[in-house]
């Protein structure tokens, strides 16, 4: 994995090749970027000319927060502190982030966020869905506890998302917006509005969206709307989704919970998922980056 590191928070570069032309393309993040940086990708083109002739997809992205390498995110939905820390340590070499939600935080307190953050990028899956002021307060507590990213819902509207984004900026954190969840019930109300919510997310200066690995055709449709924006897909494993299909449809990373923390050997399971993701990325690249 090649990382083009820049010392400006909120800036990332995607290594691309179109025909014989290689270049570095900017990726947008929540942090505002001065216009004086706009020519930067072009000034780096001599560096890009020495890169191998490959198309990296999903994104090679770099910022002070989330960095994708394996494309695997652990959903740590357990309620015991010792077990949580043990599983996180076992799978650490194979994952990019640990996603924590209400089961773990309500049982162990917000201190567990800081403990996990000592060795991992922590993404708080609080699915924040309230009025702007309440959203801001929730996001503030998550980031102060040590989180580097937070998940919010799109359906409360533009101002509610904006409140989370504004708070994330203060901490250099990421905001991911749920457009469509992975369970069957999401088809009742979320799926019919998912494209509209994806457009709202795209207009809200967030880091990325959540799209269901259980329905890869939806990942592909939402990718067409959000462009280069990060897509993370839950529902792999116990819910029936597969890493390869999600990645082939355009996801950047997958979220896996029970198939990791309930595995007899979580590290081995994580390694297998990581290998599947790598194979899917290679196949995606060989097809020219077109989702199946």
């Amino acid at each position: 994995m090649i990382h083009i590191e820049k010392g400006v928070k909120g800036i990332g570069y995607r290594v691309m090749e179109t025909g014989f032309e290689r270049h570095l393309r900017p990726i947008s993040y929540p942090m505002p970027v001065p216009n004086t940086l706009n020519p930067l990708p072009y000034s780096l083109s001599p560096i890009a000319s020495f890169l191998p002739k490959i198309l990296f997809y999903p994104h090679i992205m770099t910022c002070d927060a989330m960095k994708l390498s394996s494309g695997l995110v652990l959903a740590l939905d357990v309620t015991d502190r010792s077990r949580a820390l043990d599983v996180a340590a076992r799978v650490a070499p194979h994952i990019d982030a640990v996603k924590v939600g209400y089961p773990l935080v309500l049982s162990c307190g917000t201190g567990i966020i800081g403990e996990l953050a000592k060795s991992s990028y922590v993404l708080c899956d609080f699915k924040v869905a309230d009025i702007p002021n309440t959203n801001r307060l929730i996001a503030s507590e998550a980031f102060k506890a040590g989180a580097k990213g937070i998940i919010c819902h799109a359906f409360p509207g533009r101002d509610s998302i904006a409140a989370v984004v504004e708070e994330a900026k203060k901490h250099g954190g990421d905001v991911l917006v749920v457009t469509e969840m992975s369970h069957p019930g999401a088809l009742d109300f979320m799926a019919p509005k998912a494209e509209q919510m994806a457009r709202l997310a795209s207009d809200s200066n967030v880091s990325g969206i959540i799209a269901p690995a259980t329905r890869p055709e939806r990942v592909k449709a939402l990718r067409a709307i959000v462009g280069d924006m990060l897509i993370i897909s839950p529902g792999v494993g116990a819910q029936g989704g597969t890493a390869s299909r999600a990645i082939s449809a355009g996801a950047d990373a997958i979220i896996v919970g029970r198939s990791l923390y309930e595995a007899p050997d979580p590290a081995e399971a994580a390694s297998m998922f990581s290998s599947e993701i790598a194979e899917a990325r290679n196949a995606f690249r060989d097809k020219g980056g077109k989702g199946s």
Side-chain angles (χ1 to χ4, degrees), residues 266-286:
E268 181 181 1
S271 177
M272 291 177 64
F273 276 112
S274 182
S275 295
E276 182 182 353
I277 293 168
E279 291 175 7
R281 285 174 166 176
N282 289 337
F284 195 93
R285 178 199 66 202
D286 292 342

Side-chain angles (χ1 to χ4, degrees), residues 218-238:
R218 303 295 296 138
V219 176
K220 184 176 181 180
L222 295 170
R223 168 60 72 195
I225 293 171
V226 302
D228 283 339
M229 186 177 287
L230 177 68
I231 296 181
I232 299 182
S233 292
V236 172

Side-chain angles (χ1 to χ4, degrees), residues 181-230:
M181 294 174 70
S182 54
H183 66 303
L187 295 172
D188 294 339
F189 299 107
M190 295 193 78
K193 293 290 186 179
E195 285 88 351
Q196 185 176 348
M197 289 191 284
R199 292 186 185 94
L200 177 59
S202 186
D203 292 340
S204 297
N205 210 20
V206 300
S207 303
I209 65 168
I210 304 295
T214 47
R215 293 181 291 279
E217 72 281 359
R218 303 295 296 138
V219 176
K220 184 176 181 180
L222 295 170
R223 168 60 72 195
I225 293 171
V226 302
D228 283 339
M229 186 177 287
L230 177 68

Side-chain angles (χ1 to χ4, degrees), residues 76-81 84 101-110 112:
L76 198 53
D77 293 325
V78 300
T79 56
D80 179 80
R81 174 184 170 277
Y102 292 121
L104 183 60
V105 175
L106 288 177
S107 61
C108 299
T110 56
I112 191 67

Side-chain angles (χ1 to χ4, degrees), residues 7 23 35 41 46 57 65-66 70-71 78 120 137 151 159 168 181 192 197 199 206 209 217 220 231 260 265 270 273:
H23 59 283
N35 289 333
Y57 191 94
M66 183 177 286
S70 68
V78 300
S120 301
L137 293 172
I151 295 175
D159 56 347
M181 294 174 70
M197 289 191 284
R199 292 186 185 94
V206 300
I209 65 168
E217 72 281 359
K220 184 176 181 180
I231 296 181
L260 290 180
D265 186 341
F273 276 112

Side-chain angles (χ1 to χ4, degrees), residues 1-281:
M1 179 64 71
I2 299 174
H3 290 282
I4 306 297
E5 299 272 353
K6 293 306 297 176
V8 180
K9 188 176 295 184
I11 301 295
Y13 292 94
R14 180 179 180 183
V15 181
M16 300 281 296
E17 179 178 347
T18 306
F20 296 101
E21 180 185 0
R22 285 186 292 274
H23 59 283
L24 299 177
R25 231 173 111 186
I27 301 172
S28 61
Y29 288 95
M31 300 297 289
V33 180
N35 289 333
T36 53
L37 291 177
N38 287 344
L40 191 56
Y42 304 99
S43 67
L44 287 176
S45 58
I47 298 176
S49 67
F50 292 102
L51 296 173
K53 293 181 64 177
I54 50 179
L55 167 65
F56 284 98
Y57 191 94
H59 311 156
I60 291 178
M61 45 178 255
T62 302
C63 63
D64 281 359
M66 183 177 286
K67 298 177 182 178
L68 290 185
S69 179
S70 68
L72 180 61
V73 176
L74 166 66
L76 198 53
D77 293 325
V78 300
T79 56
D80 179 80
R81 174 184 170 277
S82 296
R83 184 184 178 197
L85 294 174
D86 178 64
V87 171
R90 287 170 180 258
V91 304
H94 309 287
I95 65 171
D96 293 324
V98 175
K99 183 176 77 71
V100 302
Y102 292 121
L104 183 60
V105 175
L106 288 177
S107 61
C108 299
T110 56
I112 191 67
I113 298 173
E115 290 187 81
L116 292 167
K118 292 176 183 177
S119 56
S120 301
Y121 174 106
V122 177
L123 174 64
C124 277
D125 185 9
F126 290 164
K127 294 186 175 68
V128 187
D130 217 307
I131 64 171
N133 186 62
T134 303
N135 277 8
R136 178 185 61 78
L137 293 172
I138 294 171
S140 176
E141 291 303 312
F143 287 118
K144 285 192 293 185
K148 280 295 184 181
I150 192 167
I151 295 175
C152 70
H153 270 298
F155 66 79
R158 188 179 305 273
D159 56 347
S160 289
I161 296 175
V164 181
V165 171
E166 185 63 31
E167 192 62 34
K169 286 180 180 179
K170 299 176 184 177
H171 302 272
D174 293 308
V175 177
L176 297 172
V177 173
V178 180
T179 56
E180 185 176 332
M181 294 174 70
S182 54
H183 66 303
L187 295 172
D188 294 339
F189 299 107
M190 295 193 78
K193 293 290 186 179
E195 285 88 351
Q196 185 176 348
M197 289 191 284
R199 292 186 185 94
L200 177 59
S202 186
D203 292 340
S204 297
N205 210 20
V206 300
S207 303
I209 65 168
I210 304 295
T214 47
R215 293 181 291 279
E217 72 281 359
R218 303 295 296 138
V219 176
K220 184 176 181 180
L222 295 170
R223 168 60 72 195
I225 293 171
V226 302
D228 283 339
M229 186 177 287
L230 177 68
I231 296 181
I232 299 182
S233 292
V236 172
Q239 292 188 58
T242 69
S244 57
R245 293 189 67 192
I247 296 297
S248 296
D252 297 285
I254 60 164
I255 299 171
V256 184
R258 284 166 283 178
S259 294
L260 290 180
Y261 61 75
E262 292 182 352
D265 186 341
E268 181 181 1
S271 177
M272 291 177 64
F273 276 112
S274 182
S275 295
E276 182 182 353
I277 293 168
E279 291 175 7
R281 285 174 166 176

